[in-house]
Amino acid sequence: MINRIFPNTSPSNGLRILLDAKGYFITNTARDLSQSDFKNRILPHTDFAVADERDEAGFFSLEITGGASIHVDLLRKQINPFERLALLRKKMPRTMFQTLCRGINLFGYRPYPENVIRLTVKEFVKYVEVWRVFDFLNYVPNMIPVFEEVKKAGKYLEPAICFSTGPEHTDEYYVKKVHEIIDVTGKDIILAIKNHSGIGTPGRIFHLISAIKNVFPDLIIHYHGHNTDGNDVGRILASVKAGAKIVDAADHSMTGFFGPPAILTVIQVLEEEGYHAEGINKDAIIETSNKLKKIRPAYSQFESQFKGFDPTVHIHKLPGGAMGSSFEQAVKGNFLDKMPDILMKELPKVHIELGNFWSVTPGSQILWTTAVAHTLSGKRYENASQDLKNLMLEKYGPFPFRKPSDEIYEMVFGSNWKNILKNEAGCETCIPIDIDMERKKFEQAIGRPCDLEELVLYLQHPKDTIDFFKYEEEYGKTYILPPEIWFKKGGFAAGDIIKFEDYKGKHHQIIIGASNVREDSILTYMMIDHHPEPFVYRKEEKKEKVEKKIEFNLKEIDDLAEMGEIRAKINGVVIEIHAKENDIVNKGDLLLTIEAMKMLSNINSPINGIVKEIAVKLGNNIKQGDLLIRLKIKA
């Protein structure tokens, strides 16, 4: 009998099937692969193109949403994340969908109010059966609201324990953490071992899972890892030998270096060891990859410039999802030559100094941005981001093993650090927001009523959600376009013929015609599926000739700040402006907040003064050295 668990299989029945099965099950972690090896650029069109084959493959689940993907769908103007799930469900009626949820951080990077958390889960749980929930400090209270809503909806709850290595990361610690989870959830769960960095030996994973199974013999364990060092198939084999019932892998024609290993390789290796993949249709797995092989070249520009496995991940512990993006940031920030020092020297040092917690969102970003800032500036902990300060104040939760040293607290907070710690430390309590008021603000911004799903997206990523729906209103449903068109460099010229297949399998043809340039727009004639269509679009704004900017180093920026000229120390986006012109400010007052690499940096006044000029607006992209605010020194 072929064991297969369907979307309408209740958790109680599904868990019994898992427990009784002689073999193991496979989750296709397509979302994680997109984030790790393609910088989250895999388009909905590609997932739709292989939906039929994936539905035939017999996976335990398809991880297709969650993590950073929801934000990226909006940010890259791809698709409404709920619409993506609804369309996929029509094409994949027999496969459970899985998400990755960051506890109280949901699908974002910072804690949300509890009423936002519960509303978000209630809406997404309509489409998603399996909920993997984690916290980067393994702090169970941060996951409870999501636990409760998933259980209430009758879906599969999969709490995760984040795994790492070091003297603190013992079997005893992790078994105790499993006890804490089960005390909250009960035993009717799936437990995930989240090895997000792909570290540890197969032997270490075997002993960890064995230790958990010795205490909880009937607990279903789902192993998740990354193949950064090239050894995750070995860890998967070890996990199944120790009693794991579900493992993660991905379509072989899309696998790379930093994401999951190949499904077919896992099946072949484990088969020879006597372990059978339950419910799996190998022909469907092969056919999926045959289709994806033809599509993959369209994404080549997003693959990491650096090929090959990286066993040094056991030193720097950067998670798979951050590997490709970190090198991309290094190229854009012109510090690629500093990467060996960042990865092999400063990042491991910072990690140990801050308590050796788990390098996963948002902790991985805090560690990474701190190490980068130290390496580029040559100064350690002097210009700490707000997120690092929040971590050290235990706003995200208590340090799991130990706190940073007093010396680091003083470098981050100054000589008054003990009082700051005394008065401000402790888990952050997010005050419930007025959802009706937020709805009104959102509807005013987009100029129409919104539905509850749209509102949920706005509550997590306000600016990018507004931008997405305005874009969609103007340009329509762009997810019908394949990556070959979406990512084509150089645009299209008159006479070009564009042929493609949409998500329903219907073929289309567009012929680009002549263009007429108007005063403020361009009119292009197109032949769309043999029907003439005029298309009017805005002319690209002429860029005025800009004189070459004077570049400032960090010391010069600090010197200018003492004279009231506050300039950016990092590249980023202005997300909050707290001061107004003519405000009287004191040294230390908050003026601006900048977001860089998903982390917040507060700009505080370095002097007592009067705000004479605010040189930036909300949403402005800024570069190091750009003028932010000019103050007049107050006598």
Side-chain angles (χ1 to χ4, degrees):
M1 177 183 175
I2 295 176
N3 283 323
R4 182 157 184 185
I5 300 170
F6 298 97
N8 62 353
T9 306
S10 69
S12 58
N13 288 337
L15 293 176
R16 176 51 54 189
I17 291 171
L18 288 163
L19 192 62
D20 291 345
K22 293 182 179 179
Y24 67 97
F25 292 74
I26 296 174
T27 286
N28 183 330
T29 47
R31 179 215 61 83
D32 203 358
L33 179 137
S34 174
Q35 182 165 334
S36 300
D37 286 314
F38 297 92
K39 304 184 181 78
N40 250 323
R41 300 307 209 284
I42 303 298
L43 297 182
H45 188 283
T46 298
D47 290 321
F48 297 150
V50 292
D52 292 340
E53 290 77 13
R54 281 176 172 169
D55 200 40
E56 286 292 323
F59 301 122
F60 166 73
S61 60
L62 174 70
E63 191 204 66
I64 199 62
T65 188
S69 71
I70 288 163
H71 186 208
V72 173
D73 279 346
L74 299 168
L75 187 65
R76 303 290 175 188
K77 312 296 191 295
Q78 291 177 2
I79 193 171
N80 178 335
F82 286 105
E83 188 169 4
R84 168 192 270 230
L85 290 169
L87 291 171
L88 273 174
R89 174 54 71 217
K90 289 179 182 178
K91 294 176 76 69
M92 301 185 68
R94 300 190 299 159
T95 303
M96 294 201 294
F97 291 161
Q98 180 172 311
T99 189
L100 178 68
C101 179
R102 299 162 176 164
I104 60 171
N105 300 320
L106 288 174
F107 309 116
Y109 315 102
R110 283 166 208 93
Y112 290 97
E114 189 170 320
N115 59 341
V116 172
I117 295 170
R118 293 184 182 276
L119 179 62
T120 299
V121 177
K122 283 177 182 176
E123 290 305 302
F124 272 98
V125 84
K126 297 172 185 176
Y127 301 93
V128 179
E129 286 77 31
V130 183
W131 283 72
R132 179 176 292 165
V133 188
F134 76 94
D135 179 77
F136 82 103
L137 293 173
N138 275 336
Y139 185 51
V140 175
N142 280 348
M143 300 184 275
I144 289 175
V146 180
F147 287 173
E148 291 177 347
E149 292 301 326
V150 172
K151 281 273 194 177
K152 196 183 300 181
K155 303 295 183 177
Y156 292 79
L157 178 60
E158 188 174 293
I161 51 172
C162 299
F163 170 78
S164 190
T165 54
E168 305 90 349
H169 296 267
T170 62
D171 289 345
E172 291 75 18
Y173 170 81
Y174 287 114
V175 169
K176 182 181 177 184
K177 192 57 60 175
V178 176
H179 268 292
E180 288 180 34
I181 290 171
I182 288 177
D183 284 346
V184 172
T185 64
K187 293 182 180 179
D188 293 334
I189 59 168
I190 298 167
L191 177 77
I193 307 294
K194 183 172 168 53
N195 189 3
H196 42 274
S197 295
I199 55 179
T201 63
R204 175 72 191 95
I205 297 302
F206 178 85
H207 289 299
L208 172 62
I209 294 176
S210 296
I212 295 170
K213 291 291 286 185
N214 283 340
V215 179
F216 303 100
D218 291 337
L219 186 61
I220 305 297
I221 293 179
H222 187 163
Y223 172 77
H224 165 80
H226 283 247
N227 204 33
T228 307
D229 67 344
N231 199 23
D232 208 50
V233 175
R235 287 186 287 265
I236 287 173
L237 174 59
S239 71
V240 172
K241 282 185 173 181
K245 282 292 185 178
I246 318 168
V247 298
D248 284 358
D251 302 293
H252 55 266
S253 63
M254 295 295 282
T255 50
F257 307 106
F258 309 135
I263 294 167
L264 201 56
T265 302
V266 169
I267 293 171
Q268 290 167 343
V269 170
L270 270 65
E271 205 167 59
E272 192 165 308
E273 295 290 325
Y275 298 98
H276 170 68
E278 296 282 354
I280 287 295
N281 180 336
K282 291 183 189 176
D283 290 338
I285 289 172
I286 293 169
E287 185 54 35
T288 301
S289 276
N290 286 343
K291 276 193 171 184
L292 289 171
K293 280 177 185 175
K294 300 172 185 176
I295 299 171
R296 181 169 181 162
Y299 294 106
S300 60
Q301 61 186 298
F302 304 115
E303 296 191 57
S304 175
Q305 307 93 318
F306 304 94
K307 311 301 182 186
F309 296 112
D310 182 14
T312 67
V313 69
H314 292 264
I315 299 170
H316 59 72
K317 300 181 182 178
L318 202 63
M323 285 294 295
S325 60
S326 67
F327 282 104
E328 183 178 41
Q329 290 163 9
V331 170
K332 290 179 178 178
N334 199 30
F335 59 87
L336 190 59
D337 60 316
K338 303 290 185 183
M339 284 296 281
D341 285 342
I342 293 170
L343 290 177
M344 301 306 295
K345 295 179 181 178
E346 190 59 27
L347 187 55
K349 187 175 181 180
V350 166
H351 203 164
I352 296 299
E353 289 173 342
L354 295 181
N356 200 24
F357 58 84
W358 296 270
S359 183
V360 62
T361 305
S364 52
Q365 284 95 334
I366 295 173
L367 294 168
W368 165 253
T369 54
T370 302
V372 170
H374 290 183
T375 305
L376 299 186
S377 70
K379 298 178 180 179
R380 306 192 80 244
Y381 296 110
E382 284 191 21
N383 297 302
S385 69
Q386 187 57 44
D387 293 282
L388 174 56
K389 291 178 180 178
N390 288 342
L391 171 74
M392 293 181 66
L393 291 170
E394 299 185 280
K395 298 291 186 184
Y396 297 109
F399 282 99
F401 306 117
R402 53 188 164 76
K403 294 182 181 181
S405 68
D406 291 354
E407 181 185 12
I408 292 175
Y409 271 99
E410 185 167 3
M411 284 192 283
V412 169
F413 294 103
S415 58
N416 194 37
W417 69 271
K418 288 184 179 179
N419 284 332
I420 292 173
L421 203 59
K422 180 180 178 181
N423 296 325
E424 298 182 27
C427 286
E428 183 175 4
T429 301
C430 296
I431 300 170
I433 65 170
D434 186 332
I435 290 178
D436 288 335
M437 183 179 293
E438 293 300 317
R439 179 194 286 270
K440 289 175 184 176
K441 286 163 59 177
F442 179 42
E443 290 180 342
Q444 185 177 9
I446 60 175
R448 62 170 175 81
C450 71
D451 62 33
L452 202 51
E453 292 178 350
E454 293 171 336
L455 178 61
V456 160
L457 299 174
Y458 170 78
L459 293 173
Q460 290 176 84
H461 305 290
K463 180 183 180 298
D464 294 320
T465 300
I466 291 170
D467 289 347
F468 169 79
F469 284 115
K470 285 184 175 179
Y471 179 91
E472 189 178 66
E473 183 180 9
E474 184 170 1
Y475 294 106
K477 306 287 188 182
T478 54
Y479 60 74
I480 69 167
L481 297 173
E484 296 85 354
I485 294 174
W486 186 280
F487 296 127
K488 184 178 185 298
K489 292 184 176 181
F492 299 92
D496 283 354
I497 299 175
I498 305 165
K499 296 180 180 181
F500 66 95
E501 186 178 312
D502 67 19
Y503 70 94
K504 292 183 178 179
K506 184 178 179 182
H507 291 270
H508 300 277
Q509 176 178 283
I510 300 173
I511 302 175
I512 307 294
S515 296
N516 291 329
V517 180
R518 299 175 171 183
E519 186 176 339
D520 59 351
S521 62
I522 297 175
L523 172 65
T524 297
Y525 293 95
M526 298 185 185
M527 188 69 71
I528 301 176
D529 293 342
H530 310 293
H531 297 285
E533 296 281 354
F535 179 63
V536 180
Y537 57 99
R538 295 187 299 273
K539 290 171 67 175
E540 185 177 0
E541 293 182 9
K542 289 184 179 179
K543 295 181 180 178
E544 296 180 10
K545 190 174 180 181
V546 180
E547 293 183 14
K548 187 176 179 181
K549 282 177 52 176
I550 300 173
E551 295 185 356
F552 298 92
N553 61 39
L554 292 174
K555 183 180 184 307
E556 290 168 335
I557 291 172
D558 285 337
D559 291 342
L560 288 169
E562 293 299 322
M563 295 184 283
E565 191 171 293
I566 301 171
R567 293 181 175 272
K569 292 186 175 183
I570 55 175
N571 300 342
V573 179
V574 178
I575 64 166
E576 286 189 77
I577 299 175
H578 305 278
K580 302 188 298 293
E581 287 189 5
N582 299 318
D583 276 0
I584 297 173
V585 296
N586 295 316
K587 184 176 181 179
D589 285 354
L590 181 59
L591 303 176
L592 294 169
T593 301
I594 293 171
E595 185 175 64
M597 294 185 282
K598 303 175 185 173
M599 294 290 101
L600 299 183
S601 290
N602 286 338
I603 309 298
N604 301 95
S605 178
I607 59 172
N608 298 327
I610 300 170
V611 179
K612 301 307 293 180
E613 179 187 0
I614 297 176
V616 291
K617 295 179 180 179
L618 282 177
N620 278 176
N621 290 299
I622 56 169
K623 294 186 178 298
Q624 181 178 317
D626 285 352
L627 179 64
L628 303 175
I629 287 182
R630 188 173 278 114
L631 302 175
K632 179 181 179 182
I633 297 175
K634 188 173 66 175

